[in-house]
Amino acid sequence: MGDVLAYEAELLGLVKEYLDFAGFQETVKVFKKECKIKGKPLPKPADVSSEDSLPLQEEMLTAFEDGDQKVFFQLWEEHILSSLHDSDPVAQNLEFYLHIYFATFLLKKTMGKPDKAELDERISYFKAYLETKGAALSQTTEFLPFYALPFVPNPMVHPSFKELFQDSWTLDLRTRLETFLSVALKARQTPRLLTIFKESGQCNKEMMQHLHQQLVKREHRYMTNLKRLRKLQMDYRGLLEVTAELVDSLEATVTGKMITPEYIQNVCACLFSNHLKQTVAHNIDFTRPGTGYYSMSPCDDGYASTLLRASLSSMKVQDVPLLPSLDYEKLKKDLITGNDRLKALLLQALRWRLTTSYPGEQRDTIMQAYISNDLLDCHSNCQRSVLQLLYSKSEVVRQYMARLINAFASLIEGRAYLSQNPTLLQMLEDRLKAEDKDSLTWENVLGALQKFSLRRTLQSAMIQDGLIFWLVDVLIDPDCLSDYNLEYCAALLMNLCLRSAGKKICASIPNAMLRVLSGLLDHENPKVQSYVNGVLYSILAIPSVREEAREMGMEEILRCFIKERNEEMVRQMEFVIKQLNSEEPFNDSIVSDDEEEEEYDEEDSDILEPDLDKDEVLLPQLGELSGEKLLTTEYLGIMTHTPKAKKKQFAGVHQSIDEPLQRPVTPGYHRTAYLISGLLVAEGAPKSSECNG
């Protein structure tokens, strides 16, 4: 009851506000009358009424036209709701341009001859805004050049800022301001009760979905850990028993009692019973200490201690058993002809079998089985193939097909298998342009394409298909991308720009390219920063791009951000600035990639990132089979597993982490120690083979 009394006045105010908004005038009269009788005063409304909006709007527009910065922003802060202009992107963008307008007002009004003290005051005010509220827009391409404005001596003649001093720009800004004020002041009348209801309802729905997903994952993890715990408890009990026996033996030896060979034989038999053939332990001749047993193995000296160590090694192998073989013909048939739910459950189970496997023989055997049975129909010419699930009408089926392809692409052998299908790359590019950017389908298609870009032939095809133009359009607004999508878009762009053909594409759109990259320079993700530095270093090898970068003040922009970087990023950006100021001609005489066999693929390790299994939308119903249980119950096949030797990995190209990236990378594998691989190595460092084309 105490809580109700504490908030009673505010709650009554919310009720009256909503009744006024909904037009219940008679109800409001009765409500006010009853509150008065019961001695419960209603709070006065805080918002400005619609009758007061017009004079306020006129006052703000007058301050705008007069260049009265102090009056304008005082009214802005007092009367435009903070909840609106702090969260609304339209309001944020408008506020940024208003600060630019007032900062440059004196220059335009006095034709470039303002009072120095007053101009310095306005510039200082603008700087303070950039370092506080304006910092939120520092990652947006549209606004990034303006962060250099306070440091430019004469912005009226600078190519990047000439537009600010044209009458058309001022007129357009005033129109935008007038329209915004009309809408914003009217929006203040929206009842708070309605806002609270909308926000809480959406929040509760999302929370329930999230909790349900977490519950399913926790149950799966609990069962896995429970099995491990039981095994550990059994092993622990066995060790305690053997340890007790050995302690008894040591105590007996101290008192002069002899240990019989039969006793040692029984202890060893107990130790080896679960891991080696028991007959081997019984074949040891313990009556002749030091002679051990006869063994044909050159690595086995025949002593009990060696046998014990061998048992430990054997335990490690048996702890990771091979999974049962599957009936792939039946699997592929159901993937093509089954209903959408069965298709999605099978795609999920096949992916889980791969992503939850242990690295090494178990994972290699699973991938070998998938490839040898042509699970995805990469070698099939039939119109109805598993890959066609990318075009399914079911969004869940498309998503789970994209997830499985992304998992395949995460592994070297998987990429090699997928690259053998001549149409898959085009299919993925089609889905990338057709799917919603907020969907997990789009995210996984993007991830697969980025990993494809580790292979030279696929790089060439993507460049030919114009993927660089598409990436530039997407990266214009990085705020619309998730962290995963932004990382993979930037990494894909970098891998394509390492090639001569990619550099030439960038040279055809230098202004758009440089604006996108400058907009990403201040991103908080260090991987994104590395990829951007890599792209800049690569394309600045072309003289025409360098010239465009100088005209837009790229060096000033770089130096503006270099102060906030760690030592490693500072060195990278210094290499980029050095490349910007270089006069070297572009070397276009190197042999085309099409004539070379080398692939970068083998230099990357196999990484199955956790994102492959995140946010599962398909949850099993009560009694419904899913995951490994579905596969081993309905699709169990004849054992066909044969262990396969893992290919020896190349050592890769190592170079200083001070320079921009010079080798194709993928975010799942990229680590701080493996930065900078894919551009021309800077002066003083050994040069790696150029990836041209």
Side-chain angles (χ1 to χ4, degrees):
M1 190 65 183
D3 289 342
V4 175
L5 292 173
Y7 298 104
E8 187 176 46
E10 188 175 356
L11 290 170
L12 292 172
L14 289 173
V15 173
K16 179 186 176 298
E17 182 186 41
Y18 181 77
L19 291 173
D20 279 328
F21 172 79
F24 292 99
Q25 300 304 325
E26 293 300 320
T27 307
V28 170
K29 289 178 182 177
V30 175
F31 182 69
K32 289 169 69 176
K33 182 179 179 181
E34 191 166 357
C35 286
K36 187 175 182 181
I37 293 171
K38 294 187 175 183
K40 299 181 183 294
L42 291 169
K44 293 181 179 179
D47 286 346
V48 179
S49 66
S50 57
E51 290 81 6
D52 297 328
S53 299
L54 194 58
L56 175 61
Q57 183 174 334
E58 289 177 354
E59 189 176 358
M60 293 186 74
L61 289 174
T62 301
F64 173 85
E65 291 167 354
D66 294 343
D68 195 336
Q69 180 174 262
K70 290 181 180 178
V71 171
F72 180 87
F73 283 113
Q74 183 179 355
L75 294 172
W76 178 273
E77 293 294 336
E78 286 179 6
H79 299 289
I80 304 297
L81 293 178
S82 60
S83 60
L84 175 66
H85 74 81
D86 281 347
S87 59
D88 182 56
V90 176
Q92 283 183 321
N93 294 358
L94 178 61
E95 185 177 20
F96 193 98
Y97 281 119
L98 287 168
H99 276 278
I100 293 173
Y101 168 79
F102 284 110
T104 58
F105 180 81
L106 287 179
L107 287 171
K108 184 176 179 182
K109 183 180 179 182
T110 61
M111 299 301 291
K113 298 178 181 179
D115 178 80
K116 189 175 184 308
E118 191 174 351
L119 179 63
D120 288 345
E121 183 183 350
R122 286 176 178 258
I123 294 297
S124 297
Y125 189 82
F126 183 49
K127 278 184 182 178
Y129 167 74
L130 292 179
E131 292 168 0
T132 52
K133 288 174 64 179
L137 294 172
S138 63
Q139 298 173 24
T140 307
T141 308
E142 180 183 354
F143 300 107
L144 190 63
F146 298 114
Y147 285 80
L149 178 61
F151 307 99
V152 176
N154 190 359
M156 293 185 74
V157 298
H158 196 283
S160 297
F161 307 127
K162 281 183 179 180
E163 184 187 11
L164 303 178
F165 300 95
Q166 296 176 4
D167 292 338
S168 58
W169 186 86
T170 304
L171 184 61
D172 178 64
L173 182 62
R174 188 193 184 284
T175 304
R176 287 173 59 187
L177 174 62
E178 187 173 5
T179 304
F180 173 78
L181 290 176
S182 300
V183 175
L185 293 173
K186 193 177 294 183
R188 298 182 65 192
Q189 299 166 30
T190 303
R192 288 169 291 166
L193 190 61
L194 181 60
T195 304
I196 293 169
F197 175 78
K198 285 181 178 178
E199 290 177 353
S200 64
Q202 181 65 24
C203 181
N204 288 338
K205 184 180 178 182
E206 292 174 356
M207 181 62 73
M208 287 299 294
Q209 290 175 345
H210 177 71
L211 289 174
H212 186 60
Q213 291 172 2
Q214 291 298 312
L215 178 62
V216 172
K217 290 179 182 177
R218 294 293 185 274
E219 287 177 348
H220 177 71
R221 191 177 300 171
Y222 168 75
M223 293 305 297
T224 303
N225 290 334
L226 187 61
K227 290 177 183 177
R228 291 176 182 170
L229 175 62
R230 287 172 180 168
K231 185 180 182 305
L232 284 171
Q233 287 173 334
M234 290 176 63
D235 290 343
Y236 177 67
R237 184 181 301 172
L239 283 172
L240 281 179
E241 290 175 358
V242 172
T243 303
E245 291 286 345
L246 293 175
V247 170
D248 288 342
S249 303
L250 287 171
E251 288 177 348
T253 305
V254 170
T255 59
K257 293 180 181 179
M258 292 294 293
I259 304 299
T260 64
E262 291 78 17
Y263 175 79
I264 297 177
Q265 188 167 350
N266 288 333
V267 171
C268 287
C270 179
L271 276 173
F272 305 142
S273 61
N274 294 325
H275 311 300
L276 291 177
K277 291 182 179 178
Q278 199 166 358
T279 53
V280 175
H282 285 293
N283 286 337
I284 303 174
D285 186 1
F286 291 105
T287 60
R288 297 170 60 197
T291 60
Y293 61 94
Y294 179 72
S295 172
M296 293 292 291
S297 171
C299 300
D300 193 347
D301 57 10
Y303 288 94
S305 59
T306 302
L307 193 62
L308 179 57
R309 292 185 179 92
S311 75
L312 294 174
S313 175
S314 143
M315 285 170 63
K316 292 177 184 176
V317 173
Q318 291 192 6
D319 279 347
V320 186
L322 296 180
L323 298 177
S325 292
L326 304 176
D327 184 346
Y328 287 95
E329 287 301 319
K330 184 182 178 184
L331 259 171
K332 289 161 68 173
K333 180 182 176 183
D334 285 354
L335 280 171
I336 294 171
T337 62
N339 60 57
D340 286 341
R341 183 163 184 84
L342 176 60
K343 291 176 183 178
L345 284 167
L346 288 174
L347 291 169
Q348 182 187 58
L350 290 165
R351 167 169 49 87
W352 281 352
R353 176 173 262 231
L354 195 59
T355 56
T356 59
S357 62
Y358 288 90
E361 186 179 4
Q362 190 185 69
R363 181 170 295 168
D364 296 342
T365 306
I366 293 169
M367 180 53 74
Q368 182 190 2
Y370 285 179
I371 294 172
S372 61
N373 289 281
D374 195 16
L375 176 63
L376 301 184
D377 284 335
C378 282
H379 301 138
S380 172
N381 295 321
C382 299
Q383 273 193 325
R384 298 188 71 187
S385 68
V386 176
L387 286 177
Q388 291 299 319
L389 294 178
L390 279 172
Y391 294 107
S392 171
K393 292 181 180 179
S394 166
E395 197 281 329
V396 176
V397 173
R398 293 199 309 274
Q399 180 195 136
Y400 278 66
M401 186 65 204
R403 284 180 186 251
L404 183 58
I405 291 174
N406 193 12
F408 266 75
S410 301
L411 305 175
I412 294 171
E413 291 188 6
R415 288 194 289 275
Y417 166 66
L418 294 173
S419 67
Q420 293 169 18
N421 186 285
T423 62
L424 178 56
L425 179 62
Q426 188 60 55
M427 292 169 70
L428 290 172
E429 290 175 352
D430 290 345
R431 297 322 307 164
L432 195 64
K433 294 166 186 175
E435 296 288 345
D436 187 343
K437 290 185 181 65
D438 294 328
S439 70
L440 284 168
T441 309
W442 193 87
E443 179 175 302
N444 280 276
V445 169
L446 172 65
L449 283 172
Q450 199 286 324
K451 292 157 191 171
F452 276 16
S453 71
L454 295 170
R455 299 183 67 85
R456 297 170 74 89
T457 53
L458 295 174
Q459 280 180 357
S460 299
M462 284 188 259
I463 293 169
Q464 272 190 332
D465 292 344
L467 209 57
I468 290 179
F469 294 114
W470 181 87
L471 284 167
V472 170
D473 287 340
V474 169
L475 289 169
I476 284 175
D477 191 4
D479 294 336
C480 294
L481 300 174
S482 68
D483 290 342
Y484 180 99
N485 292 342
L486 181 57
E487 259 187 42
Y488 275 77
C489 278
L492 175 57
L493 180 62
M494 189 200 76
N495 288 356
L496 300 183
C497 289
L498 299 177
R499 307 286 295 280
S500 294
K503 293 183 179 79
K504 290 175 185 175
I505 294 289
C506 297
S508 68
I509 50 167
N511 188 272
M513 188 75 183
L514 290 169
R515 287 194 177 278
V516 164
L517 295 174
S518 60
L520 294 171
L521 278 171
D522 194 38
H523 198 274
E524 59 187 9
N525 189 324
K527 287 186 185 179
V528 173
Q529 293 172 12
S530 293
Y531 303 144
V532 171
N533 290 340
V535 178
L536 278 171
Y537 189 87
S538 184
I539 67 175
L540 288 174
I542 300 181
S544 61
V545 179
R546 287 200 298 265
E547 187 61 32
E548 182 72 28
R550 290 167 188 164
E551 287 183 8
M552 68 178 288
M554 179 59 74
E555 183 171 354
E556 290 93 338
I557 293 171
L558 287 166
R559 294 202 182 280
C560 180
F561 294 124
I562 206 169
K563 301 172 186 176
E564 304 169 11
R565 296 288 184 268
N566 59 38
E567 188 177 345
E568 178 185 306
M569 287 298 163
V570 167
R571 287 195 294 266
Q572 285 190 33
M573 295 177 81
E574 285 172 348
F575 274 104
V576 174
I577 292 172
K578 187 176 181 181
Q579 180 81 308
L580 173 64
N581 294 320
S582 169
E583 298 299 334
E584 290 286 330
F586 179 53
N587 185 358
D588 194 23
S589 61
I590 303 176
V591 180
S592 171
D593 301 283
D594 298 333
E595 300 173 17
E596 298 180 17
E597 297 289 334
E598 180 206 356
E599 292 285 356
Y600 298 110
D601 217 26
E602 301 298 340
E603 295 178 9
D604 262 333
S605 294
D606 289 346
I607 299 293
L608 287 171
E609 66 262 62
D611 296 275
L612 292 167
D613 294 329
K614 75 174 185 180
D615 299 335
E616 296 283 359
V617 295
L618 186 64
L619 301 173
Q621 298 171 355
L622 189 64
E624 186 177 40
L625 295 175
S626 65
E628 191 65 21
K629 188 174 289 186
L630 170 63
L631 296 179
T632 54
T633 303
E634 300 293 335
Y635 300 92
L636 195 62
I638 300 171
M639 177 62 73
T640 57
H641 291 324
T642 53
K644 182 178 180 183
K646 186 73 174 174
K647 287 184 180 179
K648 184 179 179 181
Q649 298 292 315
F650 291 103
V653 176
H654 297 280
Q655 63 179 77
S656 168
I657 63 171
D658 295 344
E659 306 147 23
L661 285 160
Q662 297 189 23
R663 303 288 289 178
V665 296
T666 193
Y669 177 67
H670 183 199
R671 295 291 180 269
T672 305
Y674 190 68
L675 292 174
I676 337 293
S677 15
L679 314 165
L680 291 176
V681 184
E683 183 182 350
K687 291 191 177 182
S688 61
S689 57
E690 166 88 8
C691 35
N692 315 302

